[in-house]
C-alpha cells in the first residue's frame, strides 16, 4: 500500500469516524493516511505492530497509540513490567506528541495513561493468542466511535480479545459484535 494508493481513498478516510492502522503498512503510507485523517478531524489510532522506531512527525498525528509491553519498550526505551513503568512509557509517548496512550500487558491487563490505571484482564483458557492484539484494537476503536468512555472502551476491547484467544486461528477467532457485551 503506497502513498499513491491513498489518493483513491482520501474522501473515505476523511469521512470516517476513526482511522486505525498498524505497521505492516509502510510507515510513509501510515504518515500520509494520518495526515489526511488529522486534516479532516478524524481520530487516528495506531497499533504499532510490528514495532519499530518511528519518525517524530507520526507521533504528533496520533490521537491514540496502543503498544504492547515489547512495542512500548522499542518506542520509548522504557522496559514495561508494571503500572509504574507503563506510566513512564506513556509519559514518553505523550512527550513525543501522542495525545493518548494505553499499553496492553497481556494477562496483566491494560494500562491507560489517561486514567493512570491498570485495568486487569479476565482470566480465560487461551487456545491461540495470534489475533488478540488486532481484536483488542479493532474493538477499542469501535467502542470509541460508539462514544464509550476510555474505561468502557478498554473493557469492551478486553472482552473481545478474551473471546478471540479461546478460539484457534486469526480471522476465525475474532468475535462478531453481537458476541461482545456492551
Amino acid at each position: 500500500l503506497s502513498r499513491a494508493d491513498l489518493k483513491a481513498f482520501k474522501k473515505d478516510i476523511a469521512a470516517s469516524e476513526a482511522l486505525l492502522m498498524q505497521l505492516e503498512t509502510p510507515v510513509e503510507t501510515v504518515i500520509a493516511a494520518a495526515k489526511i485523517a488529522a486534516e479532516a478531524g478524524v481520530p487516528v489510532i495506531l497499533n504499532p505492530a510490528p514495532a519499530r522506531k518511528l519518525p517524530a512527525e507520526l507521533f504528533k498525528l496520533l490521537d491514540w497509540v496502543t503498544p504492547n509491553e515489547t512495542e512500548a519498550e522499542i518506542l520509548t526505551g522504557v522496559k514495561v513490567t508494571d503500572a509504574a513503568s507503563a506510566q513512564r512509557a506513556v509519559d514518553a509517548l505523550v512527550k513525543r506528541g501522542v495525545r493518548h496512550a494505553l499499553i496492553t500487558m497481556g494477562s496483566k491487563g491494560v494500562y491507560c495513561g489517561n486514567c493512570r490505571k491498570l485495568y486487569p484482564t479476565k482470566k480465560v483458557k487461551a487456545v491461540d493468542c495470534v489475533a488478540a492484539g488486532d481484536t483488542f484494537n479493532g474493538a477499542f476503536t469501535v467502542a470509541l466511535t460508539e462514544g464509550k468512555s476510555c474505561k468502557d472502551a478498554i473493557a469492551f476491547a478486553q472482552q473481545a480479545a478474551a473471546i478471540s484467544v479461546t478460539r484457534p486461528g486469526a480471522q476465525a477467532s475474532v468475535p462478531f459484535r453481537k458476541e461482545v457485551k456492551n
Side-chain angles (χ1 to χ4, degrees):
L1 184 63
S2 71
R3 291 186 316 202
D5 295 325
L6 290 179
K7 289 178 185 174
F9 299 101
K10 187 173 181 175
K11 288 181 183 177
D12 295 314
I13 293 169
S16 298
E17 291 182 52
L19 176 64
L20 170 61
M21 298 181 287
Q22 41 68 14
L23 297 175
E24 289 171 337
T25 302
V27 173
E28 307 77 43
T29 307
V30 169
I31 291 169
K35 285 179 179 177
I36 293 167
E39 288 171 9
V42 173
V44 179
I45 303 160
L46 180 69
N47 172 16
R52 66 186 80 154
K53 297 287 184 187
L54 297 174
E57 76 175 307
L58 180 56
F59 290 106
K60 294 174 175 76
L61 296 167
L62 302 177
D63 291 285
W64 286 92
V65 65
T66 62
N68 65 24
E69 297 149 301
T70 304
E71 294 156 355
E73 184 175 0
I74 291 168
L75 293 174
T76 68
V78 175
K79 184 169 179 62
V80 176
T81 58
D82 57 15
S85 57
Q87 184 61 51
R88 287 193 301 275
V90 165
D91 290 343
L93 291 164
V94 170
K95 188 175 182 178
R96 290 186 176 124
V98 172
R99 283 172 274 303
H100 309 285
L102 57 83
I103 299 176
T104 60
M105 300 173 65
S107 63
K108 294 176 190 171
V110 175
Y111 186 82
C112 178
N114 286 21
C115 308
R116 300 178 93 70
K117 181 176 178 179
L118 178 64
Y119 291 95
T121 225
K122 180 183 171 188
K123 303 294 181 212
V124 295
K125 185 176 179 177
V127 173
D128 187 347
C129 297
V130 73
D134 292 330
T135 301
F136 178 90
N137 279 280
F140 181 72
T141 302
V142 165
L144 288 178
T145 64
E146 291 177 348
K148 292 187 185 333
S149 68
C150 180
K151 174 185 172 185
D152 290 341
I154 290 169
F156 181 80
Q158 285 178 311
Q159 184 185 40
I163 292 169
S164 79
V165 301
T166 64
R167 303 171 178 172
Q171 290 179 341
S173 73
V174 179
F176 287 95
R177 174 68 174 85
K178 64 186 177 189
E179 294 177 86
V180 185
K181 295 178 191 167
N182 290 326

